Amino acid sequence: MTETLYRKYRPKTFADVVGQNHVKITLQSELTSGKVAHSYLFTGPRGVGKTTVARIVAKAVNCLHRGKDGDPDATCEACQDVQSGRSLDLIEIDAASHTGVDNVRSYIIENARFSPSRWKYKVFIIDEVHMLSISAFNALLKTLEEPPEHALFILATTEVHKVPETIISRCQRFDFRRLRQEDIVGRLRSIIQQEQLAVDDTVLEEIARSAHGSSRDAESLLGQVLTLAEDGRVT
């Protein structure tokens, strides 16, 4: 099957991420100073980079050759493990499919007790965390209060108002914003150049408008539009 554009060109470093400078600058500063928090909460609309940035942080904390700006090099063995999905020290959980307390105990609490299998940190990314049940949140709370030294938790949600205050107060919160239209157009231009195709600017601008600030939606729309290319060009 053909790989979708938003997966094929998913950013590998902070420098690749479009917009969200208020998030990137703070995270990079924490990484360079060695003051990484034990738990983060990423909030904001869908498709603006929450899970992508979470994976970049997961690479950065274990990167063997991290840059002076806190960016992972994306080429070392630790980074390659994360990018290929074979890292045993990165546990990604979709809370929409694992809402119960038993899931939290088996996938997170029990797992967090054990030291990383290979790298320095064991990173837990919990997507759509607002979908967890109250009992699951209560079970997670204890681990966030007294986390193991080697564990890092990144919670992502599109509906932060559904996350209990007790959880929010134990995380560093970062609010992701909808992307500006010009940022999305720039991102789309970069993709079509790598695809060695040509798309008129008016088409890119219309795609960006239709995406309503979501990079993922824009890249999905671009993928559909590119199927109409004739002689490598879309007008």
Side-chain angles (χ1 to χ4, degrees):
M1 290 179 66
T2 303
E3 190 173 17
T4 57
L5 293 179
Y6 72 82
R7 293 188 63 186
K8 184 177 180 180
Y9 295 103
R10 184 188 290 274
K12 294 180 173 63
T13 65
F14 289 114
D16 296 335
V17 176
V18 176
Q20 314 303 349
N21 287 337
H22 62 295
V23 174
K24 294 190 293 183
I25 290 171
T26 305
L27 289 173
Q28 287 176 277
S29 177
E30 291 185 4
L31 287 161
T32 54
S33 65
K35 296 179 180 178
V36 178
H38 71 272
S39 59
Y40 293 95
L41 176 63
F42 293 170
T43 77
R46 61 186 174 83
V48 295
K50 298 185 298 298
T51 306
T52 293
V53 172
R55 289 174 181 167
I56 292 172
V57 171
K59 285 190 292 188
V61 294
N62 287 322
C63 182
L64 303 178
H65 310 295
R66 192 168 64 218
K68 293 181 180 179
D69 58 357
D71 237 349
D73 69 350
T75 59
C76 73
E77 200 173 353
C79 289
Q80 290 295 319
D81 273 2
V82 172
Q83 286 168 194
S84 64
R86 64 174 182 263
S87 176
L88 298 177
D89 294 326
L90 173 61
I91 296 92
E92 292 193 54
I93 301 152
D94 178 15
S97 306
H98 303 86
T99 60
V101 64
D102 290 338
N103 295 129
V104 170
R105 288 196 181 113
S106 60
Y107 285 106
I108 303 173
I109 298 173
E110 293 298 327
N111 217 327
R113 292 177 182 172
F114 297 102
S115 298
S117 64
R118 193 171 185 188
W119 310 115
K120 184 178 180 180
Y121 288 98
K122 182 174 282 190
V123 184
F124 296 83
I125 298 176
I126 310 175
D127 206 9
E128 298 300 342
V129 69
H130 65 274
M131 298 290 286
L132 291 180
S133 65
I134 294 300
S135 56
F137 272 126
N138 289 336
L140 179 61
L141 180 61
K142 183 65 176 176
T143 303
L144 293 182
E145 285 177 332
E146 301 174 5
E149 288 282 335
H150 58 260
L152 171 62
F153 300 91
I154 306 176
L155 318 181
T157 179
T158 54
E159 300 185 51
V160 69
H161 59 281
K162 294 183 179 179
V163 180
E165 286 293 335
T166 50
I167 296 290
I168 295 174
S169 65
R170 285 164 176 81
C171 301
Q172 273 196 19
R173 175 173 169 173
F174 289 88
D175 291 275
F176 286 64
R177 302 167 184 160
R178 293 188 185 277
L179 300 177
R180 298 181 305 170
Q181 182 174 318
E182 53 265 39
D183 289 336
I184 294 177
V185 170
R187 170 74 175 161
L188 299 181
R189 278 202 194 101
S190 173
I191 290 174
I192 60 176
Q193 286 172 2
Q194 293 176 77
E195 289 288 303
Q196 299 183 331
L197 296 170
V199 179
D200 285 0
D201 282 349
T202 50
V203 177
L204 297 181
E205 289 164 5
E206 186 59 37
I207 290 173
R209 274 194 295 271
S210 300
H212 302 295
S214 169
S215 179
R216 184 172 64 226
D217 286 1
E219 289 164 33
S220 294
L221 284 168
L222 179 64
Q224 295 178 50
V225 169
L226 291 183
T227 62
L228 305 174
E230 294 183 3
D231 297 324
R233 185 176 186 86
V234 178
T235 64

